[in-house]
Amino acid sequence: MKVAFGRFTFDSDTRELLDGETRAHLSPKAFDLLKLLLDRRPAVVSKRDIQEHLWPDTFVSEASLSVVVAEVRQVIGDDSRQASFIRTVHRIGYAFSGPAQDLARRPAGREATPLCWLVRDDRPVPLADGTYVIGRDPRSDVWVDASGVSRRHARLVVLEGAATVEDLESSNGTFVRGVRVTEPRALVDGDVIELGAAAITYRAWADAAAARTERVTRDR
């Protein structure tokens, strides 16, 4: 499971919760609770189900559960009185009710022919369906070693040839066509993405644009 919500990215495979560029610390129980709520969102998960999931075959009081819920809320900056993500359903349980986006992973094995690309310094990077972190960290999906680029600068999500970009709380911000990105923004062919001193062009194939082959005349 890989889910983005607010400024956070939750990855169950790597057991990481990333706060923009920084790894946020959650205890194992708190991490498992957040995973359970994200997995079942927006449904309410009863206290009994949570206790059985976190403490199988062990009796614990509701106070223990309250401590774990409080830890999750503290790490993600949620307020129990005006919850943005973790909603309390009194006498029943809890639910993840905030906006969240499932991030598709690039499939293993042979992939479909990419329909879009990133181009920097005349070098195209084909984009299959999936999630791409753009940043200065060499382990990034799209490595951009340039001044002003953060370690984890931006995230690109591609699905069926359509792409969106969002900033990951980078130091210098992400811009598309000169406008700062403050929420996920859909990209169109020719959009220029600016990250620090780097500029990347997004290109996308459109069947409609190539429906007719241009006629070329040559001097004889």
Side-chain angles (χ1 to χ4, degrees):
M1 176 197 299
K2 193 171 186 182
V3 180
F5 63 93
R7 64 178 190 269
F8 296 93
T9 302
F10 178 92
D11 193 328
S12 63
D13 287 351
T14 61
R15 288 193 69 85
E16 288 182 311
L17 177 66
L18 297 175
D19 181 354
E21 297 183 51
T22 307
R23 184 182 293 105
H25 175 72
L26 280 174
S27 68
K29 295 295 184 188
F31 188 92
D32 290 341
L33 171 61
L34 182 55
K35 179 179 183 299
L36 178 63
L37 296 178
L38 284 168
D39 186 45
R40 299 194 188 179
R41 71 185 192 278
V44 177
V45 184
S46 70
K47 293 179 181 179
R48 181 177 179 179
D49 283 352
I50 295 174
Q51 289 173 332
E52 290 178 352
H53 184 82
L54 298 183
W55 297 279
D57 304 319
T58 304
F59 174 79
V60 295
S61 66
E62 285 194 12
S64 299
L65 175 56
S66 298
V67 169
V68 177
V69 172
E71 179 187 346
V72 174
R73 282 176 166 155
Q74 180 179 14
V75 170
I76 66 176
D78 211 17
D79 188 338
S80 60
R81 291 168 295 183
Q82 294 182 330
S84 299
F85 297 109
I86 309 298
R87 179 169 64 94
T88 301
V89 183
H90 293 289
R91 300 184 180 180
I92 299 177
Y94 300 90
F96 190 97
S97 57
Q101 178 186 13
D102 287 299
L103 301 179
R105 292 189 178 275
R106 279 164 287 176
R110 186 174 180 179
E111 299 177 343
T113 302
L115 297 176
C116 50
W117 304 262
L118 292 179
V119 181
R120 181 175 180 236
D121 297 333
D122 294 325
R123 296 180 180 178
V125 177
L127 302 172
D129 283 3
T131 303
Y132 301 81
V133 172
I134 307 171
R136 203 166 186 175
D137 188 328
R139 294 167 294 183
S140 299
D141 301 299
V142 180
W143 181 37
V144 179
D145 186 16
S147 175
V149 178
S150 296
R151 184 175 64 87
R152 289 171 52 88
H153 197 109
R155 175 169 51 218
L156 195 73
V157 178
V158 180
L159 183 60
E160 297 180 354
T164 60
V165 66
E166 60 182 307
D167 186 69
L168 292 178
E169 300 289 327
S170 64
S171 299
N172 294 300
T174 302
F175 297 79
V176 175
R177 294 184 181 267
V179 178
R180 187 162 193 153
V181 175
T182 57
E183 59 184 16
R185 169 168 173 164
L187 297 172
V188 298
D189 182 45
D191 275 349
V192 176
I193 307 169
E194 296 175 90
L195 311 93
I200 303 174
T201 302
Y202 172 77
R203 299 304 312 269
W205 170 269
D207 289 336
R212 182 180 301 173
T213 302
E214 300 87 350
R215 183 175 295 278
V216 176
T217 58
R218 292 185 171 87
D219 296 331
R220 292 178 181 246

